[in-house]
């Protein structure tokens, strides 16, 4: 990731999909902000040259997914099959949102770990860049201002699992090894000061800034000659990627802007760990929630397609 003359501060990628419209995310929201972190290695690595693989017999066709209800619900044998269906449209921007692991869930593989291990390798050669919602703050910024922003972030991140930070960094390192350039967000000192001035609405200011910076980075990366025809991935909480944000949250999402500049070649994919789903107002507000029965297809990857270019993939129960 890019680390020029930066110190790191926690990423406030607050992805409370179920927060009240126009309000800040609630504590039990499906996604929350990430912990503070140090930067992943800078730059990108070139894939190692390898001998051509030996000819293999054609793979057997995958079983067709089973219909499982409303919103285009399909049940796949594996998460990989569901992910492949999401990519069939050939997006230029794949915006992945997750429900962050919370304290007490350490025994369940997190969304970040699953994406890193199951999905990211399939994007080698197909994706040029990965934007991760980690902040790199210029050390020239006033320390007291940065400290105040960090304090605001801790009110949101305090309930998260301790390993979240390391897993986001591991995602960046894994991308680099695959030849996918990882990037983090780099707010200016002026933007940090603006968050402080926004108190008591600092969280809202963070949400707006994250969407703005991610959109700007994605547009710049899409314009690179060496990225022509390849995908840009944005990875963070399941709020900023909304292609059709709920009323009052329009400034929190980069979805509409990136969908427009890619002429609709934009895919919003929310990844959900089945065990993280709760009986709460925040979860119940999600469009797929009323149509999901956790007792049905427990060993399948359930994929909802509630709107064009918008998907929710729910992983099978953990073994």
């Amino acid at each position: 990731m890019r680390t020029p003359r930066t110190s790191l501060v926690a990423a406030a990628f607050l992805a409370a999909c179920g927060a009240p419209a126009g309000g800040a995310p609630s504590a039990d929201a499906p996604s929350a902000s990430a912990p503070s972190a140090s930067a992943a290695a800078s730059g990108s690595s070139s894939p190692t040259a390898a001998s051509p693989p030996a000819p293999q017999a054609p793979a057997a066709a995958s079983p067709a997914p089973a219909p499982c209800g409303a919103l285009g619900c399909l049940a796949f044998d594996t998460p990989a099959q569901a992910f492949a269906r999401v990519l069939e449209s050939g997006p230029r921007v794949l915006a992945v949102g997750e429900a962050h692991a919370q304290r007490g869930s350490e025994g369940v593989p997190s969304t970040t770990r699953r994406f890193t291990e199951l999905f990211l390798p399939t994007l080698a050669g197909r994706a040029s860049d990965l934007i991760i919602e980690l902040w790199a703050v210029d050390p020239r910024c006033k320390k007291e201002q940065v400290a105040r922003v960090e304090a605001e972030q801790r009110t949101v991140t305090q309930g998260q699992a301790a390993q979240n930070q390391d897993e986001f960094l591991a995602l960046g390192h894994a991308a680099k090894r695959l030849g996918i350039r990882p990037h983090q967000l780099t707010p200016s000192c002026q933007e940090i000061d603006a968050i402080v001035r926004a108190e008591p609405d600092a969280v809202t200011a963070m949400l707006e800034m994250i969407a703005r910076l991610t959109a700007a980075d994605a547009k710049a990366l899409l314009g690179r000659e060496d990225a022509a025809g390849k995908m840009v991935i944005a990875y963070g909480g399941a709020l900023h990627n909304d292609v059709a944000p709920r009323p009052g949250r329009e400034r929190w999402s980069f979805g509409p802007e990136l969908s427009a500049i890619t002429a609709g070649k934009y895919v919003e994919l929310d990844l959900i760990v089945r065990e993280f789903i709760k009986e709460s107002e925040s979860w119940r507000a999600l469009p797929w929630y009323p149509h999901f029965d956790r007792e049905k297809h427990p060993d399948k990857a359930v994929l909802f397609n509630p709107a064009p270019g918008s998907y929710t993939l729910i992983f099978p129960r953990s073994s």
Side-chain angles (χ1 to χ4, degrees):
M1 296 184 196
R2 298 168 298 180
T3 58
R5 302 177 59 188
T6 58
S7 62
L8 294 192
V9 67
F13 40 68
L14 297 151
C17 306
S26 59
D28 67 344
S31 306
S33 58
S36 58
S38 59
S42 62
S44 62
S45 59
S46 300
T48 303
S51 300
Q56 297 181 351
S62 300
C68 50
L71 303 182
C73 183
L74 293 173
F76 292 81
D77 285 346
T78 68
Q81 292 169 0
F83 188 60
R85 174 63 63 91
V86 170
L87 298 181
E88 284 183 354
S89 65
R92 287 299 316 282
V93 174
L94 174 64
V96 181
E98 68 161 43
H100 303 307
Q102 302 297 298
R103 292 186 188 278
S105 67
E106 286 79 5
V108 179
S110 69
T111 311
T112 312
R113 178 178 168 186
R114 295 173 197 237
F115 179 82
T116 302
E117 296 178 356
L118 299 178
F119 298 159
L120 187 65
T122 70
L123 298 174
R126 304 173 66 182
S128 61
D129 298 89
L130 168 67
I131 304 169
I132 305 175
E133 290 178 20
L134 291 174
W135 293 12
V137 179
D138 193 319
R140 294 172 295 184
C141 297
K142 297 177 182 178
K143 292 182 178 179
E144 61 272 22
Q145 300 293 74
V146 173
R148 289 173 67 179
V149 171
E150 288 179 322
E152 290 287 348
Q153 292 170 331
R154 282 194 294 271
T155 65
V156 181
T157 62
Q158 59 187 355
Q160 288 193 5
Q163 78 271 14
N164 287 0
Q165 164 187 327
D166 292 338
E167 291 185 347
F168 263 73
L169 292 172
L171 171 59
H173 286 296
K176 184 170 181 280
R177 288 193 297 270
L178 292 168
I180 302 171
R181 292 180 293 258
H183 308 269
Q184 59 197 357
L185 304 181
T186 53
S188 66
C189 297
Q190 291 76 15
E191 287 163 326
I192 294 295
D193 291 344
I195 291 173
V196 174
R197 291 195 303 272
E199 293 177 345
D201 297 320
V203 170
T204 298
M206 292 180 202
L207 293 170
E208 295 176 357
M209 186 191 74
I210 290 165
R212 184 172 63 253
L213 292 181
T214 305
D217 285 355
K219 288 188 290 185
L221 294 170
L222 287 168
R224 292 172 56 145
E225 290 185 7
D226 58 351
K230 290 191 175 183
M231 188 187 313
V232 170
I233 311 163
Y235 191 95
L239 168 66
H240 300 296
N241 63 338
D242 289 353
V243 70
R246 289 167 56 183
R249 297 182 174 186
E250 294 86 353
R251 293 169 63 89
W252 299 359
S253 176
F254 50 75
E257 182 177 1
L258 294 183
S259 181
I261 69 164
T262 58
K265 301 292 282 184
Y266 174 92
V267 164
E268 165 199 351
L269 172 62
D270 291 341
L271 298 178
I272 306 294
V273 173
R274 189 176 294 247
E275 289 83 354
F276 292 175
I277 301 172
K278 298 181 180 180
E279 293 285 345
S280 69
E281 180 181 354
S282 296
W283 283 97
R284 286 192 292 268
L286 300 176
W288 54 266
Y289 186 92
H291 309 286
F292 175 69
D293 184 345
R294 71 179 69 209
E295 300 303 321
K296 292 183 178 180
H297 310 293
D299 299 321
K300 302 285 188 178
V302 174
L303 183 68
F304 288 100
N305 183 197
S310 176
Y311 297 88
T312 296
L313 194 165
I314 302 173
F315 289 100
R317 64 184 176 186
S318 303
S319 58

